[in-house]
Amino acid sequence: MVATMALEIFAQQTVNGLILGATYGLIAIGYTMVYGIIGMINFAHGEIYMVSAYLAAIFLAVLHFFGLTSVPLLLVAVLLATVFVTALYGWFVEKIAYRPLRHSTRLAPLITAIGVSLILQNYVRIAQGARSQGIPSLLQGSFVLPVGDQGGVVQITHVQLLIIIVAFLSMAVLTFIMQQTSMGRACRATEQDRIMAALLGIDTNRIIAIVFVIGAAMAAIAGVLVSLNYGSFDFHIGFITGIKAFTAAVLGGIGSLPGAMLGGLILGLAESFFAGFVNSDYKDVFAFSLLVLVLIFRPSGLLGQPQITKV
Amino acid sequence: MNTLLDVQDVTLRFGGVVALNRVSLQVAWGNITAIIGPNGAGKTTLFNCITGFYKPQNGHIILTPPNRSATHLHHLLGQSFAWSDLVHPGQVWGKLRAKMFGGPHSVCRAGIARTFQNIRLFKEMTVLENLLVAQYRQLNRYFIGGLLGTRYFRDEESMAINRAMEWLRFFALEADANRLAGQLPYGHQRRVEMARSLCTDPMVLCLDEPAAGLNPMETQALSQLIRRLKNEFNLTILLIEHDIGLVMELSDHIVVLDHGEVIAQGRPADIQRNPRVVEAYLG
């Protein structure tokens, strides 16, 4: 009986961890790509994610008001609209806060990133209020799968299934774009040697803007999915989720795209196993301890390449 | 003589140090022009100005392709606005455009390509990918096409691959096409870098010490390749080189720099006898 319980918790926490990890991974992509291309940590990225949750709620309300009642159509429309507008946010943030500082010290854009983060938080607080907002659950129902032979079950709601499908699909699409298209090649070239890429005719400023747009779009996908799942959010959710996603990016090796996805999944699974089997109050402690451990043995992260300094 | 690249009175200062002092030179269309001089003479700095990496404080660098209008290369890097813009509002648009979208990449797009003394390949990418990156300008840049695998995208992609393979064949590198660029031997990397800069479809190819680190046999092969580039592809070549034998053998025109100034220029035979050149090299 105890074994069945453990198996049941294990299966349920695997599902929960995958969902949590997929969203961390999606957000971590923004951190890792921006770091890879201009070597800065975009602390405003968590706030972009928060903004996307609000945008999703707004689009949902507006589209519903105009009579769009079919749930699948509504989901697709909200996702596309949110991704588009959030990508615009990412583009503007790069244009206004980081591009003018491109040739200054490395620390300057870090400070503006913190500034942008505060501005976005307070802008949303003033515009939308400090109380937490919610969206109605659009998808009801769940699948119940049997686990083991003693009648244990694991429950996957439709929203959770949607999260897993959309998250992994968008990661696959992004990987394909980066590996197979000429734009992706230009991104990778700019990441390796920005000056050389410019001398080969690549408009590196544009590529950097594209990377910010991609990062924001991925965060927006996560934002829509998470707010569909939990149903409520406030102006402060960007902070802790952003820190977690950043941790995932560092865990996987910052600068590495598959690393961000892997780091997100590992962090999500670790957190949810710890919460399920040990103590849910200390799951964050465990996640960060994991980070410390990994960095002691692999300072460049799981899939990151060690920096070789030429003497 | 048909001047393709005209460098007029270029001055570049780093703080108080004058790196280039009123450097003027003309590069004729279809010629091989060599820039020589002692270490620290400003040869690479001049290259950096020509390729849009540095912006000189004074002077003009003008590219005049045959039968086309002239391009001021440093205008492509963005100019500051001046009072005269009020009198000629027509030029404001061009300045604004260069400020917003200009940069070294527009110099490359104007038709100038370069290689580096210390090789700068994208080491984590395959040789073929390196060459495809250089064709970015000619390619379809919209990822939607690539995502959906449209016929247009695939046609363009295969055209780009063909073009890259042609250059790889020219440099005898086909066998390395799918290897990572960072794993190739040194001599191969040099040739990959040249092939890559040729993929940008340049008019002027600037080679910064292409023979550095090559053995005499490899240098001989390189010299033949450079000559073929000039004869078969009508390329104009600017060359920085310390191997005087190679320079004398290849070049049509030699410019000697010392302490950021042009101390002599002319045909190889004249340069050899020039007393100032001998002094700069020996003294």
Side-chain angles (χ1 to χ4, degrees):
Chain A
M1 197 61 204
V2 174
T4 313
M5 275 281 287
L7 189 66
E8 202 177 333
I9 294 175
F10 177 80
Q12 188 65 56
Q13 292 310 93
T14 309
V15 171
N16 294 347
L18 274 179
I19 287 152
L20 196 61
T23 54
Y24 286 160
L26 280 176
I27 304 169
I29 286 170
Y31 282 107
T32 213
M33 285 181 73
V34 166
Y35 182 84
I37 209 150
I38 54 174
M40 74 163 273
I41 298 180
N42 180 10
F43 281 119
H45 191 58
E47 260 49 67
I48 296 280
Y49 157 79
M50 177 270 295
V51 166
S52 78
Y54 276 89
L55 285 172
I58 292 169
F59 282 123
L60 197 61
V62 168
L63 288 172
H64 194 77
F65 178 77
F66 283 107
L68 193 64
T69 45
S70 148
V71 170
L73 219 59
L74 201 58
L75 282 179
V76 172
V78 166
L79 190 66
L80 288 181
T82 309
V83 164
F84 181 74
V85 178
T86 313
L88 276 183
Y89 267 88
W91 187 77
F92 272 115
V93 165
E94 195 270 337
K95 213 62 162 180
I96 294 167
Y98 307 140
R99 196 176 156 186
L101 296 171
R102 188 66 42 77
H103 299 290
S104 65
T105 62
R106 270 172 80 95
L107 282 177
L110 223 61
I111 304 298
T112 48
I114 295 169
V116 169
S117 164
L118 288 173
I119 289 170
L120 284 177
Q121 267 186 33
N122 287 293
Y123 158 66
V124 170
R125 184 167 63 171
I126 291 166
Q128 298 289 329
R131 252 184 288 158
S132 77
Q133 307 278 330
I135 56 176
S137 51
L138 288 174
L139 288 173
Q140 312 270 346
S142 59
F143 298 106
V144 178
L145 306 172
V147 173
D149 45 10
Q150 311 256 317
V153 289
V154 52
Q155 189 185 24
I156 307 174
T157 65
H158 290 174
V159 179
Q160 287 176 322
L161 196 65
L162 184 78
I163 290 180
I164 291 182
I165 292 170
V166 173
F168 284 92
L169 198 66
S170 37
M171 286 180 192
V173 165
L174 182 64
T175 310
F176 179 83
I177 289 175
M178 294 306 285
Q179 292 300 327
Q180 300 292 330
T181 69
S182 54
M183 190 186 87
R185 268 198 304 265
C187 285
R188 282 184 291 143
T190 310
E191 191 183 318
Q192 287 181 38
D193 188 341
R194 198 187 334 156
I195 290 160
M196 193 64 233
L199 289 173
L200 289 173
I202 294 171
D203 186 347
T204 46
N205 278 326
R206 215 186 109 155
I207 294 293
I208 291 169
I210 287 174
V211 163
F212 271 85
V213 164
I214 291 175
M218 289 291 154
I221 294 173
V224 174
L225 295 177
V226 170
S227 33
L228 279 179
N229 195 16
Y230 292 130
S232 82
F233 43 82
D234 57 36
F235 70 98
H236 215 257
I237 55 165
F239 178 70
I240 191 70
T241 315
I243 295 274
K244 289 277 182 59
F246 174 60
T247 308
V250 174
L251 187 69
I254 195 152
S256 150
L257 192 56
M261 303 172 193
L262 183 72
L265 287 179
I266 289 176
L267 196 71
L269 284 171
E271 247 183 48
S272 89
F273 282 141
F274 192 86
F277 286 110
V278 189
N279 185 334
S280 69
D281 289 337
Y282 287 100
K283 64 182 182 5
D284 292 354
V285 177
F286 179 67
F288 287 109
S289 313
L290 192 73
L291 174 75
V292 171
L293 268 179
V294 168
L295 288 187
I296 287 173
F297 293 107
R298 274 193 73 92
S300 49
L302 292 171
L303 298 184
Q305 268 135 7
Q307 294 278 316
I308 300 162
T309 319
K310 274 190 188 160
V311 185
Chain B
M1 188 169 103
N2 203 340
T3 304
L4 177 58
L5 188 67
D6 193 0
V7 178
Q8 296 171 353
D9 278 336
V10 164
T11 301
L12 182 75
R13 285 178 292 266
F14 295 113
V17 182
V18 182
L20 293 175
N21 189 10
R22 297 176 65 91
V23 170
S24 294
L25 56 97
Q26 276 89 40
V27 177
W29 190 75
N31 266 4
I32 297 180
T33 304
I35 299 171
I36 61 171
N39 285 328
K43 304 182 296 286
T44 300
T45 311
L46 180 62
F47 259 35
N48 285 339
C49 287
I50 292 174
T51 51
F53 194 57
Y54 292 149
K55 198 172 151 194
Q57 277 99 1
N58 288 105
H60 300 273
I61 301 172
I62 303 164
L63 183 75
T64 319
N67 311 324
R68 264 190 279 167
S69 60
T71 317
H72 286 249
L73 292 183
H74 55 279
H75 287 185
L76 298 175
L77 301 178
Q79 302 165 268
S80 44
F81 295 107
W83 287 111
S84 67
D85 290 345
L86 294 176
V87 192
H88 308 283
Q91 67 199 28
V92 176
W93 171 238
K95 282 188 176 182
L96 203 63
R97 213 180 116 97
K99 258 197 192 308
M100 288 181 71
F101 304 110
H105 62 276
S106 0
V107 175
C108 169
R109 291 173 187 193
I112 293 185
R114 78 171 289 180
T115 65
F116 280 87
Q117 192 178 338
N118 46 341
I119 303 171
R120 294 181 84 151
L121 290 174
F122 303 119
K123 295 193 173 65
E124 316 276 313
M125 299 167 94
T126 67
V127 170
L128 185 63
E129 277 181 320
N130 264 279
L131 268 63
L132 292 180
V133 165
Q135 297 181 49
Y136 178 70
R137 176 182 60 133
Q138 290 112 299
L139 279 181
N140 172 18
R141 270 165 256 156
Y142 300 101
F143 65 94
I144 301 280
L147 205 55
L148 303 177
T150 55
R151 152 110 22 114
Y152 177 63
F153 175 83
R154 276 179 288 142
D155 287 353
E156 280 214 326
E157 192 79 355
S158 64
M159 250 165 58
I161 290 173
N162 286 340
R163 212 174 308 148
M165 289 312 283
E166 269 169 40
W167 282 117
L168 286 181
R169 256 192 294 283
F170 182 84
F171 286 98
L173 289 164
E174 309 107 295
D176 297 326
N178 288 317
R179 289 177 66 188
L180 283 187
Q183 292 173 351
L184 294 183
Y186 185 78
H188 289 221
Q189 290 196 11
R190 279 228 169 273
R191 280 182 282 152
V192 172
E193 211 190 17
M194 280 175 78
R196 184 180 64 179
S197 50
L198 286 164
C199 276
T200 63
D201 201 12
M203 281 179 281
V204 185
L205 179 64
C206 302
L207 300 172
D208 195 345
E209 299 206 22
L214 299 186
N215 65 34
M217 251 175 64
E218 287 173 321
T219 308
Q220 199 51 43
L222 177 81
S223 143
Q224 272 163 17
L225 283 175
I226 294 176
R227 203 186 291 280
R228 276 182 64 196
L229 285 177
K230 174 194 165 187
N231 293 336
E232 292 174 24
F233 298 94
N234 263 330
L235 274 169
T236 306
I237 293 165
L238 254 177
L239 181 73
I240 291 178
E241 191 48 67
H242 277 301
D243 185 337
I244 289 297
L246 183 70
V247 168
M248 291 298 165
E249 184 191 326
L250 274 178
S251 44
D252 303 299
H253 188 78
I254 295 181
V255 178
V256 189
L257 278 183
D258 190 23
H259 296 297
E261 292 181 44
V262 177
I263 58 169
Q265 51 181 319
R267 287 176 304 149
D270 300 335
I271 292 296
Q272 262 173 330
R273 277 174 307 204
N274 188 313
R276 287 190 69 188
V277 176
V278 175
E279 191 192 347
Y281 263 91
L282 300 178

